[in-house]
Amino acid sequence: MSVLRGKNILLGISGGIAAYKTAHLVRLFIKAGAHVRVVMTPASKDFITPLTLSTLSKNPVYSSFFNDEDQAEDNALWNNHVELGLWADLMLIAPATANTLSKMANGNCDNFLIACYLSAKCPVYFAPAMDLDMYKHPSTLASFHALQQFGNVMIPAESGELASGLTGEGRMAEPENIVAFIEADILGKLPLRGKKIMITAGPTYEAIDPVRFIGNHSSGKMGFDIAQCAADLGADVVLISGPTHLKANHANIKLIRVVSAQEMYEACHEHFSSSDVAICAAAVADYRPKNVSDQKIKKHASEFQIELEKTPDILASLGKIKENQFLIGFALETENEIENAQLKIQKKNLDLIVLNSLRDAGSGFGTPTNQVTFIDAENKIEPKPLQTKEQVAMDIINKILAHYDA
């Protein structure tokens, strides 16, 4: 899955022959899961129609400060360049002609595209397209330098046959190469790039017989949200999940499904040594039936007893063999929450514990929200307000980022 999934991309098109390639470029962005809006200079409409790009992007195409059909009316509809600039997660100007590059470099705001560019708060990429001599001209090179000094990212032109009939450098990068360049650039700047994070999620089911089991109400959502957040920031994630209906839709997440505490224990120990971070968010059963029947137990007696034994303590076992890993545990408590969580930090050799209390409304199993308290190895206590589990996941990831920035 592309790192562009879910991103808002503002595509600016200036008036060069390479504008015809932007139809394919929009298709590639949409296929990658991005949302695309297009801004055109008036000259670019000589090379490709707004209708084509509107149809492909499923959004209106902008080219002027006012909608043309309303220009004669007193209440003409204004196209808000500031809103577009703030909407975008990234902006791409392709093709970027020598004229447009010069305007960008000098703040010459005489069209709607430049107004959007000057309003953008997001990363800006530009893909130059012009003839061989124009590409090498000192004024063009000065524009390249100025724009990169501003923090814009240049997608170098390629060599090939040019519209003039000459062959050389100046040809706009092919759409597939533009998408690959942007994806690689984003991935290379993600803060968890190169980190491996192991996460456990969901319940475990401990068999009584082939039909029945001992389990709990954990949905697994908290662990899956942490995995998604970590993967979005570039981490390679191993997600070890007990039974749940949830799915992991990210190329950076390797999902390992298990059922019992023993299976989760074995999977964790297989991956822990190669991990930089381990987050144990699963609600692992503390006990399991000592003897599991291989046949369904018939309902004969009015009373039925099951002898239980302890399951392996996954978190404690990882704490014992921890070397340089940043180890995070979860605690679900109903009384003496802080004291019990602090004891777990020491007993299990944790770096951080995420404390849940079932006494807090909106927390616990089966809810989209959670209210947690962070406690670190130095006993620093940080209570958080009631938040969505996605927001809690980001708070946890921020703790990891802070650890590596320290």
Side-chain angles (χ1 to χ4, degrees):
M1 185 172 294
S2 173
V3 71
L4 298 176
R5 180 182 62 84
K7 292 199 177 296
N8 296 330
I9 299 177
L10 185 60
L11 174 61
I13 303 174
S14 61
I17 185 62
Y20 82 91
K21 297 182 181 180
T22 57
H24 185 40
L25 184 57
V26 170
R27 286 290 299 271
L28 291 176
F29 283 141
I30 296 295
K31 186 176 180 181
H35 310 292
V36 181
R37 293 184 181 180
V38 177
V39 176
M40 304 179 71
T41 64
S44 69
K45 292 189 285 186
D46 292 332
F47 299 96
I48 186 168
T49 67
L51 177 61
T52 298
L53 298 166
S54 177
T55 302
L56 293 174
S57 68
K58 300 179 176 62
N59 278 308
V61 169
Y62 305 89
S63 62
S64 64
F65 291 94
F66 296 92
N67 285 353
D68 293 340
E69 63 270 20
D70 295 328
Q71 283 189 11
E73 300 180 12
D74 293 335
N75 61 343
L77 182 62
W78 175 51
N79 289 324
N80 193 332
H81 59 281
V82 175
E83 182 181 320
L84 282 171
L86 295 177
W87 170 83
D89 293 313
L90 68 90
M91 184 175 186
L92 167 67
I93 293 91
T97 61
N99 184 42
T100 290
L101 290 170
S102 178
K103 291 178 180 182
M104 291 166 63
N106 292 285
N108 182 7
C109 187
D110 67 347
N111 63 47
F112 192 69
L113 189 155
I114 301 300
C116 290
Y117 164 71
L118 294 174
S119 300
K121 303 298 183 185
C122 60
V124 176
Y125 298 82
F126 62 96
M130 62 201 73
D131 207 72
L132 176 64
D133 295 330
M134 297 173 67
Y135 192 76
K136 295 294 186 182
H137 195 276
S139 64
T140 305
L141 297 178
S143 294
F144 293 162
H145 178 74
L147 290 173
Q148 290 176 96
Q149 287 292 107
F150 295 161
N152 301 161
V153 181
M154 178 175 166
I155 303 174
E158 298 175 356
S159 293
E161 185 177 351
L162 304 171
S164 64
L166 300 175
T167 299
E169 196 174 17
R171 182 188 181 106
M172 187 180 84
E174 293 301 314
E176 291 86 354
N177 295 339
I178 290 175
V179 173
F181 181 100
I182 294 173
E183 288 177 328
D185 186 70
I186 292 173
L187 283 171
K189 294 173 180 175
L190 292 176
L192 290 176
R193 182 74 169 167
K195 298 294 183 187
K196 178 179 176 182
I197 299 181
M198 184 184 79
I199 301 169
T200 67
T204 64
Y205 289 173
E206 310 303 325
I208 298 171
D209 61 23
V211 177
R212 306 174 180 90
F213 60 85
I214 297 173
N216 58 61
H217 299 294
S218 173
S219 66
K221 179 171 170 54
M222 188 73 256
F224 274 72
D225 285 343
I226 298 169
Q228 181 71 44
C229 187
D232 284 344
L233 293 180
D236 293 316
V237 177
V238 174
L239 177 59
I240 303 168
S241 174
T244 175
H245 70 282
L246 299 175
K247 297 180 180 179
N249 297 314
H250 200 294
N252 283 17
I253 300 176
K254 177 182 180 181
L255 177 59
I256 300 173
R257 295 197 181 272
V258 300
V259 175
S260 67
Q262 184 62 40
E263 291 175 348
M264 186 171 284
Y265 175 94
E266 292 170 359
C268 286
H269 279 263
E270 179 181 348
H271 293 279
F272 182 67
S273 62
S274 60
S275 298
D276 300 291
V277 179
I279 306 171
C280 292
V284 182
D286 294 319
Y287 292 90
R288 64 190 175 196
K290 189 171 184 179
N291 298 300
V292 180
S293 175
D294 57 1
Q295 300 293 329
K296 180 183 176 183
I297 299 172
K298 297 297 183 181
K299 183 171 65 176
H300 295 304
S302 59
E303 294 184 357
F304 179 66
Q305 293 183 342
I306 302 174
E307 186 178 1
L308 302 177
E309 63 181 5
K310 279 189 172 183
T311 57
D313 190 326
I314 297 173
L315 191 54
S317 68
L318 298 178
K320 286 181 180 178
I321 62 173
K322 182 179 76 170
E323 294 178 345
N324 298 316
Q325 293 92 344
F326 189 68
L327 182 58
I328 301 174
F330 273 66
L332 180 61
E333 302 290 344
T334 58
E335 58 182 0
N336 300 322
E337 291 98 335
I338 298 294
E339 294 82 354
N340 288 332
Q342 289 173 327
L343 287 173
K344 284 186 178 180
I345 290 176
Q346 297 172 7
K347 185 178 179 181
K348 302 187 180 186
N349 192 23
L350 308 181
D351 296 290
L352 181 72
I353 198 161
V354 183
L355 171 63
N356 298 270
S357 173
L358 284 180
R359 297 193 298 178
D360 296 325
S363 298
F365 297 144
T367 68
T369 57
N370 210 350
Q371 186 169 357
V372 303
T373 298
F374 293 120
I375 308 175
D376 64 20
E378 281 72 44
N379 281 324
K380 179 182 176 183
I381 301 171
E382 184 183 350
K384 306 295 287 188
L386 184 69
Q387 303 178 101
T388 66
K389 287 184 175 177
E390 291 87 350
Q391 290 170 319
V392 174
M394 191 65 241
D395 284 344
I396 293 169
I397 296 301
N398 283 334
K399 292 291 183 183
I400 296 169
L401 295 172
H403 167 73
Y404 285 107
D405 287 340

